[in-house]
Amino acid sequence: MEKIYETDPYQTQMTAVVESCTQGKKGYDIILNQTVFYPEGGGQPYDTGTLANAQVLEVHERNGRVVHTCDVPLEVGSTVDGHINWDRRFDLMQNHSGEHIVSGIAHSKWGCDNVGFHMGSDLITIDLNILLHEDQLLELEQEVNRYILEDHPVVITYPTSEELETLEYRSKKALTGQVRIVSFPGADTCACCGTHVSTTGQIGLVKLLSVQKFREGVRIELLCGNRAFAYLNRAFEQNRMVSNLLSAKIFETAAAVDRLLHENEALKSRIRAMEDGHFAQLAQNYANAENVTLFENDLTPDALRRLCSAVLDTCHGFCACFSGDDNSGYKYAIGHSGGDLRSFTKSLNAQLNGRGGGKPDFVQGSVSCSKKDILEFLEQQS
């Protein structure tokens, strides 16, 4: 079988003869005498497209043959036209080529080995076996993009076994037989079976998004080519909308958000102080009471807890505080100084479609029922 994608990754269509067609688990597995479809491997996903009237769903290599899994069968011996999804292929070429350059330059600068590579539908991850930090990530990104803009040729060779012995190249495993070497001169030389651009300028851009500690080294998330441009356009549009909402200039949104957060914290402190004053007054209204049930509007779980605690300091028995409405349900905070609410809480949650718990003498949670249901339940328990 001729694997056209190895010698010409820019060829998007072909005419081929169907050598076999068998029904598999995911569709019909078809083998051709030649193919432009790249099979999944080396961290790169498979191509999709069409063979005659069949949709190519997956492509894998089995025992040296490329198997095209299609949605309908094709007649053995027939000649079919094949077309790959070029947008998908070129996206993968950009991202795979960008990964080579990032891995190669990181290796030459800090001695990192690429020990893991995944090309997902959203982003790429590279696992390196040496710790890198944010400042090194910025330096790496700048060098990678400088190299891309210099528009170096990408060279693919098939060295002899003798030539391989003296050639320095990256490979995750020992290789036998004919080895395909992909070289980005001055940046990376690697054994690879994937598809790549012919010159680095076609990658356009590499954006390193994050670096996180992973095992003994780091995992880098990145985007290349059109994916990187799309990501930056979305980020710009988001920042533009934030800029408009905050009436701040594009490069001053972070300072505006920081100011807004400080103002919000100050408002929260004032609201908390006002709530605590209100709760203290309510608590005095129930001084020396035995059992207390309160319904208050628009309280957070924390405010509900503080209300219940304030009343417990003045009453002598049981205190149940609720906040909510009949449509969305009620949050609760219930306390009983020196008491045991475990059996009570279990019955409450069971009968009022609730969930929650806590300490034996203080519990919090929520119920999905009406105010009338709550009052009837509490009446039954008294």
Side-chain angles (χ1 to χ4, degrees), residues 36-294:
V36 293
F37 286 84
Y38 179 80
E40 184 174 47
Q44 180 174 326
Y46 48 74
D47 286 328
T48 59
T50 59
L51 288 175
N53 63 334
Q55 293 291 324
V56 179
L57 308 175
E58 296 183 6
V59 187
H60 299 278
E61 187 166 353
R62 300 172 191 162
N63 300 319
R65 307 300 301 278
V66 177
V67 179
H68 311 74
T69 300
C70 299
D71 61 342
V72 296
L74 296 176
E75 183 180 353
V76 175
S78 64
T79 299
V80 295
D81 291 328
H83 301 264
I84 65 168
N85 179 338
W86 171 246
D87 288 341
R88 175 182 170 92
R89 161 69 73 79
F90 190 63
D91 169 71
L92 296 174
M93 288 165 61
Q94 285 183 313
N95 282 278
H96 201 161
S97 300
E99 177 271 328
H100 273 271
I101 298 170
V102 172
S103 297
I105 291 178
H107 179 75
S108 64
K109 287 181 70 67
W110 300 295
C112 306
D113 288 328
N114 181 326
V115 294
F117 164 51
H118 176 71
M119 195 184 304
S121 57
D122 296 323
L123 50 80
I124 300 171
T125 61
I126 300 173
D127 298 334
L128 303 176
N129 63 348
I130 291 179
L131 286 172
L132 297 178
H133 304 290
E134 292 286 348
D135 56 340
Q136 291 171 298
L137 197 71
L138 179 60
E139 181 182 346
L140 177 60
E141 181 180 89
Q142 290 174 338
E143 244 183 85
V144 167
N145 282 296
R146 187 182 304 115
Y147 180 86
I148 288 171
L149 290 174
E150 290 169 354
D151 200 23
H152 296 269
V154 180
V155 181
I156 296 176
T157 57
Y158 295 86
T160 64
S161 56
E162 292 78 13
E163 290 171 329
L164 277 176
E165 290 181 2
T166 60
L167 182 66
E168 290 188 10
Y169 64 95
R170 291 190 304 113
S171 178
K172 296 188 184 71
K173 58 184 179 180
L175 301 173
T176 58
Q178 190 173 61
V179 178
R180 183 173 185 258
I181 297 294
V182 179
S183 179
F184 295 78
D188 186 48
T189 300
C190 182
C192 183
C193 60
T195 59
H196 306 85
V197 295
S198 59
T199 64
T200 61
Q202 295 175 46
I203 300 170
L205 170 72
V206 168
K207 182 62 185 173
L208 307 186
L209 303 178
S210 69
V211 57
Q212 305 167 13
K213 189 177 186 310
F214 182 72
R215 297 177 181 167
E216 300 303 314
V218 293
R219 170 165 288 177
I220 296 175
E221 293 182 335
L222 66 147
L223 293 172
C224 307
N226 291 328
R227 290 196 202 187
F229 283 115
Y231 174 89
L232 293 174
N233 282 336
R234 287 182 61 195
F236 175 81
E237 180 60 22
Q238 285 291 312
N239 194 41
R240 187 191 65 80
M241 290 190 291
V242 171
S243 169
N244 290 337
L245 289 170
L246 297 177
S247 299
K249 294 180 180 179
I250 286 289
F251 293 109
E252 296 176 1
T253 52
V257 169
D258 185 61
R259 183 171 60 250
L260 195 64
L261 289 173
H262 280 87
E263 291 173 357
N264 190 46
E265 284 302 316
L267 286 173
K268 284 182 178 179
S269 295
R270 291 181 61 188
I271 291 171
R272 182 184 175 104
M274 293 172 65
E275 284 179 337
D276 287 343
H278 175 59
F279 298 161
Q281 289 180 346
L282 281 176
Q284 288 304 313
N285 293 339
Y286 295 98
N288 301 317
E290 288 298 322
N291 294 318
V292 179
T293 300
L294 289 173

